Amino acid sequence: MRKKLIILFFFISFIGFSQTNLVPYSHDYEFAEGLFLTINQLKNNSPIPKSSIISKIPKSDIDFLKQEIQQKNIVYRDTSNYEHTIETSDIWGYCQNRTIYINYNNEFNRVNVIGTLFQFTALVKTTVNVMNPMYSNYGLNTTVEELRQFVLDTQTNKIYSFDVNDMSILLKNDPELYNQFMALSNRKKSDSQFIYLRKYNEKHPLLVVRY
């Protein structure tokens, strides 16, 4: 019985420490520069630092990480000095010059809004059918790139389109904001997406490790 109480005490103490070691993200918060293999590394502000990366690219270059992620593989040493090789496509994101970039469709895209809901813009390739004017029943498939906006829910690590339909889904976690948003006309909903994204992040701030 005593052993169980001791274990319970340490468990409660650990939870208490974890909670007190977290702070709401603000613009004054600085993420450490480096590579994030997972979203939890971002929240813990514990990336693979530049000093641990083995590379021929000069680490003094201001865009060292941007150049490094152009490589197919990245080699780094862990805290025990063991070498690891990872595919760049497996990296969740990175921080460089106080800016967060996240991996979406094997492209690293700058995060415009940081919070529980991230907002970013990415190029998306789509295939469209173009009719050939010489043949009425014959079309050509072609690939075009389109710039689209997205939202990352950092609680689930799931990415949504930044549109009225998906914003209404995300806002369901806050009934007050959801009801306000749904009461707007369709045009006002479209015009107010950024406003409600920021309102949600203000009410539900991203919790990150104190540094």
Side-chain angles (χ1 to χ4, degrees):
M1 180 67 180
R2 184 178 179 182
K3 185 177 181 180
K4 290 182 179 179
L5 288 174
I6 292 174
I7 293 173
L8 180 62
F9 171 77
F10 278 109
F11 178 72
I12 294 173
S13 299
F14 174 78
I15 293 175
F17 171 78
S18 299
Q19 290 176 340
T20 57
N21 201 38
L22 296 176
V23 295
Y25 169 80
S26 69
H27 291 295
D28 297 327
Y29 188 88
E30 290 189 28
F31 287 101
E33 285 203 341
L35 304 174
F36 299 107
L37 300 184
T38 67
I39 192 171
N40 286 331
Q41 284 189 346
L42 172 83
K43 295 176 182 179
N44 293 328
N45 201 10
S46 58
I48 298 169
K50 292 194 295 184
S51 58
S52 297
I53 299 173
I54 301 171
S55 175
K56 294 180 180 179
I57 302 170
K59 294 179 182 177
S60 57
D61 286 6
I62 193 169
D63 61 346
F64 166 74
L65 292 173
K66 183 178 181 180
Q67 295 181 64
E68 189 64 25
I69 61 167
Q70 304 303 316
Q71 314 301 315
K72 182 179 180 180
N73 298 304
I74 293 177
V75 181
Y76 71 95
R77 288 191 178 93
D78 63 20
T79 53
S80 298
N81 210 34
Y82 288 108
E83 285 191 15
H84 300 270
T85 300
I86 52 172
E87 291 188 12
T88 304
S89 58
D90 291 333
I91 295 173
W92 183 86
Y94 70 97
C95 176
Q96 179 176 268
N97 302 323
R98 299 192 65 179
T99 302
I100 301 295
Y101 298 84
I102 62 174
N103 186 355
Y104 180 68
N105 284 345
N106 293 325
E107 294 288 341
F108 288 85
N109 306 277
R110 176 175 178 154
V111 175
N112 301 315
V113 177
I114 297 176
T116 295
L117 301 180
F118 278 16
Q119 189 275 335
F120 66 96
T121 304
L123 280 173
V124 177
K125 294 180 179 180
T126 56
T127 301
V128 296
N129 184 269
V130 180
M131 296 303 298
N132 189 330
M134 300 296 295
Y135 304 95
S136 59
N137 295 323
Y138 184 73
L140 297 173
N141 289 330
T142 184
T143 300
V144 297
E145 288 188 330
E146 182 182 359
L147 200 61
R148 293 185 186 175
Q149 298 186 70
F150 297 92
V151 175
L152 167 73
D153 183 351
T154 60
Q155 302 304 303
T156 63
N157 202 29
K158 183 177 179 181
I159 291 177
Y160 296 80
S161 294
F162 189 41
D163 56 30
V164 170
N165 182 62
D166 280 4
M167 273 303 296
S168 65
I169 294 173
L170 290 164
L171 290 174
K172 283 182 179 180
N173 293 324
D174 187 307
E176 181 182 5
L177 291 179
Y178 173 76
N179 290 333
Q180 290 176 9
F181 187 72
M182 296 306 292
L184 300 174
S185 65
N186 288 335
R187 182 175 180 178
K188 286 187 176 180
K189 284 178 186 174
S190 182
D191 293 339
S192 303
Q193 286 183 107
F194 266 110
I195 295 174
Y196 278 86
L197 178 75
R198 293 187 181 277
K199 282 185 176 182
Y200 187 93
N201 283 336
E202 288 172 2
K203 290 186 66 176
H204 309 276
L206 175 68
L207 297 179
V208 287
V209 169
R210 187 195 308 271
Y211 63 89

